[in-house]
Amino acid sequence: SSRGKAAVERLDILKKGHNFTRNALLGITTQELFVNLNNETSALQWKTINNKWTKESNGEIDLTTSVKHVKLHGEAGLQIIGIDDAIVFEIKAENSAVRDQWVVTLNELLQYWVDHPDSKPKSTTTAEKVSNKAEYFKRREEEIEAREKISAERKAKYTTGGMKYTAQIMASRA
C-alpha cells in the first residue's frame, strides 16, 4: 500500500523546513534553528541561524535507527525520543499548530515504517553531516548498546524457562 496524498503533502511541508528554538548554554539563552526533513525522509537536519551567543553548529537526527517516537512538550515544544527512551532532541515551535504538524507527521512516518518495513529508507547520516563528531560517535555507540540490550531482553524471554524446568526435573530425581 502506498502513502496517502495527504501524508505525502505533510512530509513535503517538513522537507521545506521550519524555524524552531532550543535552549542553549544550560538554558541561559536560546538558539534559533532551521530544521527540515531530508529528501530521503531518513533524517531530520538542523542548523543554527541568527547566531549571537553560540557557535555555528549543525547536525542530523537519524530517524531510521535512533528514534522511537516524537512527543509533545509544553505549549509549543516537541521532544524526539530515542530507542533508549532518552530525549535525543528538544525544540520549540513558534506555536502549537506548527508543533502538532511536526509531531503528527513524524510519528506517522515512524509508524508507517513499522507497518511497512520495506518502505523504510537506509540511514543517510554520517559523521560529516554533524558539527560535533564526538557526540555523533557517542550516540552511535549508545544506539548499538540499546539495540543489544533490547535483543538480549527478547532472547531472555525464551531462555529463562529452560533452566527452571531443568532444575525441577533434577530436584524431582534427587
Side-chain angles (χ1 to χ4, degrees), residues 3 5 17 25 28 34 42-43 46 48 50 65 68-69 71 75-76 84 86 104 110 124 126 128 143 145 155 157 167:
R3 279 194 186 101
K5 188 172 185 277
L25 304 176
I28 296 166
F34 176 75
S42 62
W46 61 267
T48 51
N50 305 330
T65 60
K68 188 187 269 182
H69 62 122
K71 69 178 200 182
E75 276 177 42
D84 53 0
V104 167
L110 295 167
T124 54
T126 61
E128 284 75 59
E143 282 166 28
E145 283 170 21
K155 284 181 194 154
K157 265 189 253 173

Side-chain angles (χ1 to χ4, degrees), residues 7-96:
V8 170
E9 284 169 6
R10 284 192 290 276
L11 288 170
D12 285 342
I13 291 168
L14 269 56
K15 287 177 187 178
K16 286 188 181 88
H18 225 97
N19 290 352
F20 290 88
T21 57
R22 74 167 175 181
N23 287 337
L25 304 176
L26 304 170
I28 296 166
T29 183
T30 58
Q31 274 183 326
E32 279 186 66
L33 303 178
F34 176 75
V35 182
N36 69 290
L37 181 65
N38 69 353
N39 283 329
E40 299 80 15
T41 72
S42 62
L44 279 184
Q45 301 167 321
W46 61 267
K47 63 176 184 268
T48 51
I49 51 174
N50 305 330
N51 250 2
K52 290 183 196 77
W53 310 107
T54 55
K55 75 175 203 273
E56 244 340 274
S57 59
N58 65 291
E60 202 168 85
I61 294 128
D62 189 340
L63 297 173
T64 64
T65 60
S66 55
V67 176
K68 188 187 269 182
H69 62 122
V70 183
K71 69 178 200 182
L72 308 176
H73 180 67
E75 276 177 42
L78 66 90
Q79 293 176 331
I80 295 178
I81 307 300
I83 54 172
D84 53 0
D85 291 316
I87 298 167
V88 177
F89 197 58
E90 189 175 321
I91 51 178
K92 200 177 205 167
E94 72 221 31
N95 58 49
S96 60

Side-chain angles (χ1 to χ4, degrees), residues 140-151:
R140 293 290 298 147
E141 205 60 32
E142 287 167 2
E143 282 166 28
I144 291 165
E145 283 170 21
R147 246 187 252 112
E148 284 171 355
K149 188 176 157 206
I150 291 165
S151 173

